[in-house]
Amino acid sequence: MMRLALALAAGVCCAAPAAAQEYVLAMTYETGTEGGADGASSAASGRQAIAERVLALTLEGAELEYTLPSDPEEVRGNARWMFPARVRVVGDGSMALLNADELTARADAWLAEMEWPREVCSRWTFSWAAYQIRCDAAAAVETVESYGMQPGRIAAGQPFALKGALGPVVLERSGEAEGRVILTGSGPVDVAFLREEDTRAALVVAEVGREALTPEAAAAASAAIAATGTVSVTFAVDAAGMVWRREDVSDYTMTGSRWRDGHTRARTTVTRLTRAEWERQQAEREAEEDRAEPLADPASR
């Protein structure tokens, strides 16, 4: 992505790649929590992937198409209508959706197929995990951005807005690996962010469980959260500026969480994002393994 941004900055115009460039962006995460009344520990992990295709370079930005590395007919949930999504990316990494009308039409068809009224949009349901039903085209851009591989221009000495950290972190060069520069940055965890996440999680659990909980009550219960620890990020960037690997780590201790038992818990979350040349068969096999179960019917609430 950064390669495209730098090319645009240098004045490259209206030139499509001689052969379409295709990549797979893969995300994995691992979360571990220790502590509590009985000293118990818990862990969770997951993975997902998306395919990226470079369509063209123009004065307005780089045009890319995002698809799923599997047969769309086998996909469950929002992704069934979100992809393919075509976007334009400018030098700072921001995205604009180019086929919004097409996505809106697919979302309408998907709702009809599921026999869901539009009123279910924005509701949370549960299949293999808590899941918010999205019917707006902008959700496709949010999904792509969640992979975190389009951060705009990054370089040593620059501040970087890192989610979960208290203020921007300054990136520093920490070495090289496989011909790519390694940039790292870290900062203290943002307690306000943890409180917001705790409030959001409590509201989701209440909605899925059909329990009464107001945003005000959820926020009040989360206000007692206190935490110390760090949030860090590591990038591997090639000579052209393209990000090939990103790793986010949050490591902190927290009290006053949703358990409300007064005990301190230690939590570590590691999210790894990698870019690889498109290997269709391998990606299709992985998507087959990760296929979700059918959604529960939210219209029955």
Side-chain angles (χ1 to χ4, degrees), residues 11-294:
V12 175
C13 171
C14 308
Q21 297 168 287
E22 295 185 334
Y23 306 96
V24 171
L25 309 182
M27 178 193 302
T28 63
Y29 73 86
E30 304 166 1
T31 297
T33 303
E34 296 182 354
D38 55 2
S41 62
S42 62
S45 62
R47 64 181 182 178
Q48 60 194 63
I50 194 171
E52 177 186 79
R53 180 182 175 91
V54 181
L55 300 178
L57 304 177
T58 72
L59 276 179
E60 291 76 22
E63 294 185 7
L64 304 103
E65 181 178 67
Y66 290 90
T67 59
L68 296 175
S70 60
D71 184 346
E73 293 300 319
E74 302 295 336
V75 174
R76 308 287 183 181
N78 293 328
R80 181 74 173 267
W81 64 264
M82 282 184 184
F83 301 100
R86 292 189 299 278
V87 302
R88 178 178 293 117
V89 184
V90 296
D92 65 358
S94 59
M95 293 185 173
L97 188 62
L98 300 178
N99 61 334
D101 290 345
E102 178 185 333
L103 266 63
T104 298
R106 291 206 304 259
D108 290 339
W110 174 66
L111 288 171
E113 176 188 345
M114 300 295 291
E115 298 183 347
W116 287 349
R118 182 160 284 277
E119 287 73 21
V120 305
C121 298
S122 80
R123 290 186 187 176
W124 285 84
T125 187
F126 189 89
S127 57
W128 56 279
Y131 180 92
Q132 187 179 31
I133 299 170
R134 297 293 300 271
C135 310
D136 53 312
V141 173
E142 294 176 21
T143 298
V144 173
E145 289 178 335
S146 71
Y147 281 79
M149 299 293 273
Q150 301 83 25
R153 296 181 176 88
I154 60 172
Q158 287 188 349
F160 179 76
L162 180 58
K163 182 178 179 180
L166 184 61
V169 302
V170 177
L171 298 176
E172 299 180 354
R173 179 168 177 157
S174 61
E176 294 187 12
E178 299 178 345
R180 297 164 186 163
V181 174
I182 307 302
L183 300 174
T184 62
S186 65
V189 65
D190 183 358
V191 178
F193 172 81
L194 295 182
R195 291 171 181 164
E196 292 171 1
E197 290 290 289
D198 191 73
T199 298
R200 187 177 299 111
L203 290 170
V204 170
V205 170
E207 182 175 345
V208 172
R210 304 180 186 180
E211 300 174 357
L213 179 65
T214 66
E216 293 77 14
S222 300
I225 287 178
T228 58
T230 60
V231 179
S232 62
V233 65
T234 300
F235 291 106
V237 186
D238 68 16
M242 177 174 279
V243 177
W244 286 87
R245 181 173 60 83
R246 172 176 176 167
E247 181 173 288
D248 293 72
V249 179
S250 59
D251 190 358
Y252 56 87
T253 58
M254 176 173 60
T255 57
S257 66
R258 69 179 67 96
W259 290 280
R260 321 295 182 207
D261 57 9
H263 290 275
T264 299
R265 287 174 170 81
R267 171 167 289 187
T268 301
T269 299
V270 180
T271 303
R272 297 181 178 89
L273 298 120
T274 57
R275 179 190 303 274
E277 300 293 341
W278 175 245
E279 297 179 8
R280 186 178 300 272
Q281 292 182 347
Q282 177 181 346
E284 288 177 348
R285 286 196 300 270
E286 292 179 353
E288 177 73 19
E289 294 172 359
D290 293 340
R291 186 174 304 149
E293 295 297 325

